[in-house]
Amino acid sequence: MVLGTYKEIVSARATDKEIQNVSQDGGIVTGLLAYALDEKIIEGAVVAGPGEEFWKPEPMVAMTADEIIAAAGTKYTFSPNVMMLKKAVRQYGIEKLGTVAIPCQTMGIRKTQSYPFGVRFLADKIKLLVGIYCMENFPFASLQTFISEKMGIDPTLVEKMDIGKGKFWVYTQDDVFNIPLKETHGYEQDGCNVCLDYTCELADLATGSVGSPDGWSTVITRTEDGNSIFQQAVETGVFETKDMANVKPGLDLLEKLAAQKKDKNQKTIDKRKEMGLPVPY
Amino acid sequence: MSEKIVISPTSRQEGHAELVMEVDDEGIVTKGRYFSITPVRGLEKIVTGKAPETAPVITQRICGVCPIPHTLASVEAMDDSLDIEVPKAGRQLRELILAAHHVNSHAIHQFLIAADFVPENLMAAAINSVSEVRKTAQYVVDMVGGEGIHPSEIRIGGMADNISELARKKLYARLKQLKPKLDEHVDLIIGLVADKGLPEGLGVHNQPTLATHQIYGDRNEFDLERFTEIMPESWYDDPEVAKRACSTIPLYDGVNVEVGPRARAVEYKGFNERGVVAQHVARALEQKTALSRAITILDELDTSAPARADFDITGTNKLGVGAIEGPRGMDVHMAQVANGKTQFYSALVPTTWNIPTMGPATEGFHHEFGPHVIRAYDPCLSCATHVMVVDDEDRSIIKNEMVRL
Ligand SMILES: Cc1cc2nc3c(=O)[nH]c(=O)nc-3n(C[C@H](O)[C@H](O)[C@H](O)COP(=O)(O)OP(=O)(O)OC[C@H]3O[C@@H](n4cnc5c(N)ncnc54)[C@H](O)[C@@H]3O)c2cc1C
Ligand code: SF4
């Protein structure tokens, strides 16, 4: 299945205005982690917090809703959240942990749960793994380069970045800029070209913008836990939802992009194999 | 007619050692010699010439039984060589880890001696008790040290991080819960040891005790001037033993000593019992002292305070000393740092101190009690080995005048 195993797919957004204002799309990640914290399903969460350098995130152990909200928004460069998980269950004393991760990180996390070398006592403490869709990610220097050199924008003025409708978007206080996504090709990290997972197939629940209207997210619930936590949050009024059949552009687009990523990158994998190069699968 | 009884290797201890006892017609030990036959590790040589931060990471691998004391002794030696003032919270967290480690490590030893003291019908209960104590104690080491076996958080200058308030409260609550359980456990162990009815005076010797602190260790209480070290061939009067013994003989004021829980109790708690039973009792009681110390630290700890000092690794070649009271006794690491690199490193470890005292402690009783005397020290040989076997055929060790590792 091109979208992985799942229980349900809906379009949703957080009802809280504060979350809507700061989040990237429908505020699903922030809303759900804050809800889980509130309900004591988790005691804290590892998120991509603000770092010392503008737009360069630092993994952070958030133990309050305010800290989770402060980390909202997509940063299009690596935030090594996986590294912080162990610290969260050690020095931070968290025994029920939540986190957010892109697909490759999610694979890493699931692997550490199966083979806990160097990460003893972590596996059973991860209670909620919220996955986000990912087509590619950029090393920090790449990101800076194409924003400042190709788009001609001072990176310190950037308020938000986004990918959508085939373009890379940059929002400053007064303006919106974009370049076609193909202009960013070659700047992504090399590993992204052999990555087959678009919709974070191993998460408890995965979300991204694709498929839903602006300000809304497409939510795929995957595990029993992911599904039940999300349903509870919807019932409590944390999220409002719409049937995927009634939203534009709809599920077709998500399926199309997920399939494209698999096809294109499988070709790269085959080519690498042919040349005798290593691939991580 | 004198006969030789050889136990090789002695069992239910860490590492390999041999006990050679000369016995009379009644089987009474007239001469006891205990010595290490564990192959050399050479870790001090490995860390020399490397960055100071390498030393704690490598030397904690000396042994899987007491990696915590070795890490602590190593960072303390480096702190001293680099003249670093460790912040209060860092010092408290270090002591907290060590206190928890004492509780855990002593419980492991109680498991090892269970076969000697615990009757069949109580075996399951005793082992469960050990497991329960260990689980909570190791939880503290895991949380504060980052890893239960090789702690990654203990760093030169203090600790990599302070713990969160959530962690502090959880640890405090769990250790409080452990207290009645540990009291029961200690009573059980002391009772079982008493019930065994070992002969009066078993393991008693007249050597002095050496300890630097009730729990943690204090370099100011270890006087390097009073320490000397001799090679095994000048200690063991049996040439066969002398040539195969793998550890040097450390002396304090020119004599061999006893270190460990009983030594600490004698030095700091007015304890005056001697011998095998006294060692087991002192060890069990020390678990209680360590637990209450851990609880006090958790009560007092300011989790918002810095746990690590900033420092410069250049160094002035000052000889730094780290003295840590490991579960099995005082563990001293010494280091000199200059030009940002470790110039000299030496570890003077707990069981090395006890080795020369342990053999003679078997004397005067039937050789069947020999292993009891040895196990009462909870010997751990892997870190003790400091000389190398050069001839695998006859197992003779490296010559005195050659490199000492
Ligand atoms: C590199 C990257 C590529 C993406 N590509 C796509 C895509 O092709 N299609 C699509 O539909 N969606 C994509 N997304 C996801 C999308 O941008 C949103 O992050 C997602 O929809 C969640 O929005 P939200 O409003 O629910 O989350 P918010 O409430 O805004 O919270 C976002 C959460 O993600 C965390 N986060 C931010 N950046 C990172 C990072 N780099 N690594 C790990 N965690 C991070 C934050 O800490 C925060 O907790 C991508 C995200 C990233 C990081
Ligand atoms: S495309 Fe795959 S490898 Fe690249 S950042 Fe996204 S999930 Fe990771």
Side-chain angles (χ1 to χ4, degrees):
Chain A
M1 243 185 323
V2 74
L3 299 179
T5 351
Y6 61 84
K7 305 230 177 275
E8 227 188 307
I9 305 185
V10 291
S11 188
R13 76 166 176 192
T15 51
D16 186 321
K17 289 274 174 289
E18 193 191 348
I19 294 181
Q20 282 183 11
N21 284 341
V22 293
S23 62
Q24 186 76 14
D25 299 313
I28 306 302
V29 180
T30 301
L32 198 66
L33 291 175
Y35 170 76
L37 190 72
D38 216 35
E39 291 297 310
K40 304 199 163 34
I41 297 165
I42 57 172
E43 294 172 306
V46 174
V47 290
E52 272 170 29
E53 257 182 284
F54 210 50
W55 287 108
K56 189 174 182 190
E58 295 272 346
M60 169 176 109
V61 182
M63 295 172 87
T64 61
D66 283 349
E67 286 172 328
I68 292 175
I69 291 170
T74 302
K75 291 90 182 175
Y76 284 98
T77 188
F78 320 126
S79 175
N81 291 357
V82 185
M83 188 187 86
M84 214 48 184
L85 299 176
K86 183 168 164 183
K87 198 156 254 189
V89 304
R90 300 290 209 272
Q91 288 77 29
Y92 286 85
I94 294 170
E95 288 168 292
K96 293 182 286 182
L97 182 65
T99 191
V100 46
I102 49 180
C104 55
Q105 294 176 325
T106 301
M107 284 182 238
I109 294 170
R110 293 307 190 207
K111 202 160 188 176
T112 66
Q113 288 182 292
S114 308
Y115 307 97
F117 300 127
V119 280
R120 301 186 315 154
F121 314 126
L122 172 65
D124 59 332
K125 299 200 173 80
I126 298 175
K127 296 295 178 209
L128 179 60
L129 201 174
V130 184
I132 46 186
Y133 310 161
C134 179
M135 191 61 87
E136 74 256 296
N137 201 353
F138 305 100
F140 188 59
S142 284
L143 187 68
Q144 273 183 317
T145 309
F146 69 73
I147 290 177
S148 66
E149 305 306 316
K150 283 207 164 185
M151 302 179 80
I153 308 164
D154 177 352
T156 58
L157 300 178
V158 176
E159 304 246 301
K160 179 174 176 173
M161 300 177 210
D162 202 10
I163 293 179
K165 305 180 182 77
K167 296 192 167 98
F168 186 90
W169 301 81
V170 167
Y171 299 76
T172 60
Q173 180 106 38
D174 323 298
D175 277 308
V176 183
F177 303 84
N178 68 64
I179 44 166
L181 258 189
K182 64 174 184 316
E183 291 280 324
T184 69
H185 287 167
Y187 285 89
E188 73 279 2
Q189 65 163 341
D190 198 33
C192 299
N193 297 317
V194 295
C195 171
L196 301 177
D197 188 353
Y198 181 58
T199 57
C200 216
E201 296 173 23
L202 299 177
D204 286 322
L205 163 153
T207 186
S209 61
V210 168
S212 290
D214 282 353
W216 287 71
S217 294
T218 305
V219 179
I220 308 180
T221 65
R222 297 190 181 281
T223 62
E224 290 288 346
D225 284 352
N227 193 47
S228 79
I229 297 171
F230 181 70
Q231 298 310 341
Q232 283 165 36
V234 172
E235 276 161 34
T236 323
V238 172
F239 300 120
E240 50 185 319
T241 60
K242 287 183 185 169
D243 196 326
M244 278 313 283
N246 303 331
V247 297
K248 291 261 169 306
L251 205 54
D252 290 351
L253 182 63
L254 187 63
E255 284 175 337
K256 188 177 125 195
L257 291 183
Q260 269 178 6
K261 181 173 180 182
K262 284 187 198 295
D263 290 345
K264 176 174 145 287
N265 291 351
Q266 187 59 51
K267 289 201 180 94
T268 313
I269 290 174
D270 293 342
K271 205 160 130 207
R272 286 180 70 106
K273 278 188 180 155
E274 244 174 61
M275 294 164 75
L277 292 169
V279 280
Y281 293 98
Chain B
M1 197 198 77
S2 119
E3 198 196 337
K4 233 184 214 177
I5 307 279
V6 177
I7 303 180
S8 179
T10 42
S11 60
R12 286 186 268 136
Q13 67 184 26
E14 204 290 323
H16 307 278
E18 199 166 305
L19 176 63
V20 178
M21 294 173 287
E22 284 171 24
V23 301
D24 64 15
D25 293 345
E26 255 81 72
I28 305 295
V29 181
T30 52
K31 184 82 199 168
R33 297 181 187 89
Y34 180 72
F35 60 99
S36 168
I37 51 170
T38 304
V40 80
R41 316 296 306 277
L43 290 160
E44 289 115 311
K45 288 288 175 245
I46 297 176
V47 305
T48 310
K50 310 255 175 21
E53 288 95 337
T54 310
V57 178
I58 300 283
T59 58
Q60 65 181 201
R61 266 103 188 149
I62 287 180
C63 172
V65 179
C66 66
I68 311 291
H70 287 300
T71 315
L72 289 170
S74 185
V75 292
E76 289 271 338
M78 289 299 177
D79 291 340
D80 191 25
S81 181
L82 296 170
D83 277 322
I84 300 167
E85 183 84 45
V86 175
K88 183 175 173 202
R91 170 67 173 68
Q92 286 172 311
L93 289 164
R94 284 182 180 180
E95 186 167 350
L96 173 61
I97 298 179
L98 187 62
H101 178 67
H102 275 266
V103 176
N104 170 58
S105 184
H106 289 347
I108 297 176
H109 180 253
Q110 286 149 352
F111 171 72
L112 292 179
I113 59 164
D116 296 337
F117 294 100
V118 187
E120 201 50 48
N121 62 337
L122 287 178
M123 195 54 102
I127 291 173
N128 284 339
S129 188
V130 162
S131 300
E132 229 178 291
V133 169
R134 290 198 56 214
K135 195 171 161 196
T136 310
Q138 275 301 80
Y139 181 70
V140 179
V141 180
D142 263 325
M143 302 285 260
V144 185
E147 267 303 326
I149 311 294
H150 293 123
S152 47
E153 288 285 302
I154 302 172
R155 305 285 174 85
I156 298 173
M159 297 289 292
D161 301 279
N162 204 325
I163 56 174
S164 74
E165 199 47 24
L166 176 71
R168 186 187 72 82
K169 287 189 181 141
K170 280 188 180 181
L171 294 176
Y172 182 81
R174 296 215 185 153
L175 290 188
K176 275 276 196 193
Q177 272 169 20
L178 178 65
K179 197 173 175 320
K181 169 76 224 140
L182 185 74
D183 288 347
E184 244 175 69
H185 174 82
V186 168
D187 287 347
L188 174 75
I189 300 292
I190 292 178
L192 288 168
V193 171
D195 290 348
K196 175 84 180 175
L198 287 173
E200 190 83 15
L202 181 68
V204 171
H205 61 75
N206 292 320
Q207 296 311 118
T209 49
L210 177 60
T212 61
H213 190 267
Q214 191 173 316
I215 292 171
Y216 188 68
D218 179 355
R219 66 172 72 87
N220 299 317
E221 297 298 313
F222 175 69
D223 186 353
L224 207 50
E225 299 287 307
R226 292 163 69 188
F227 156 75
T228 46
E229 193 179 28
I230 58 173
M231 288 302 280
E233 59 260 40
S234 6
W235 179 260
Y236 294 102
D237 52 7
D238 177 340
E240 260 308 294
V241 170
K243 99 171 173 195
R244 293 172 49 224
C246 285
S247 62
T248 55
I249 306 294
L251 305 173
Y252 206 63
D253 293 332
V255 294
N256 56 307
V257 296
E258 177 183 333
V259 297
R262 191 187 76 86
R264 287 189 282 267
V266 169
E267 300 288 328
Y268 295 97
K269 300 206 104 175
F271 188 78
N272 51 21
E273 305 290 314
R274 294 185 295 165
V276 172
V277 173
Q279 284 170 299
H280 291 311
V281 169
R283 184 173 292 112
L285 292 175
E286 193 171 72
Q287 289 178 297
K288 291 215 234 184
T289 316
L291 180 64
S292 41
R293 182 69 192 129
I295 292 173
T296 310
I297 292 173
L298 282 164
D299 189 26
E300 291 170 354
L301 182 72
D302 174 0
T303 51
S304 62
R308 193 175 185 201
D310 283 332
F311 58 89
D312 173 10
I313 61 158
T314 313
T316 57
N317 221 22
K318 172 183 168 189
L319 179 67
V321 178
I324 288 294
E325 290 295 331
R328 281 149 286 275
M330 189 186 67
D331 182 17
V332 178
H333 285 213
M334 289 177 279
Q336 274 174 290
V337 181
N339 307 320
K341 295 279 186 295
T342 303
Q343 308 294 332
F344 164 79
Y345 201 95
S346 178
L348 200 58
V349 301
T351 297
T352 318
W353 289 104
N354 283 333
I355 284 175
T357 305
M358 289 159 76
T362 61
E363 290 165 15
F365 288 86
H366 195 275
H367 67 79
E368 283 194 347
F369 291 110
H372 277 288
V373 175
I374 298 306
R375 278 199 277 277
Y377 287 82
D378 185 11
C380 176
L381 282 305
S382 68
C383 59
T385 305
H386 278 76
V387 282
M388 202 193 283
V389 171
V390 281
D391 187 338
D392 268 334
E393 282 289 296
D394 75 349
R395 305 222 138 264
S396 60
I397 54 110
I398 203 161
K399 286 276 182 309
N400 189 8
E401 58 272 17
M402 296 176 78
V403 193
R404 288 204 210 167
L405 290 165

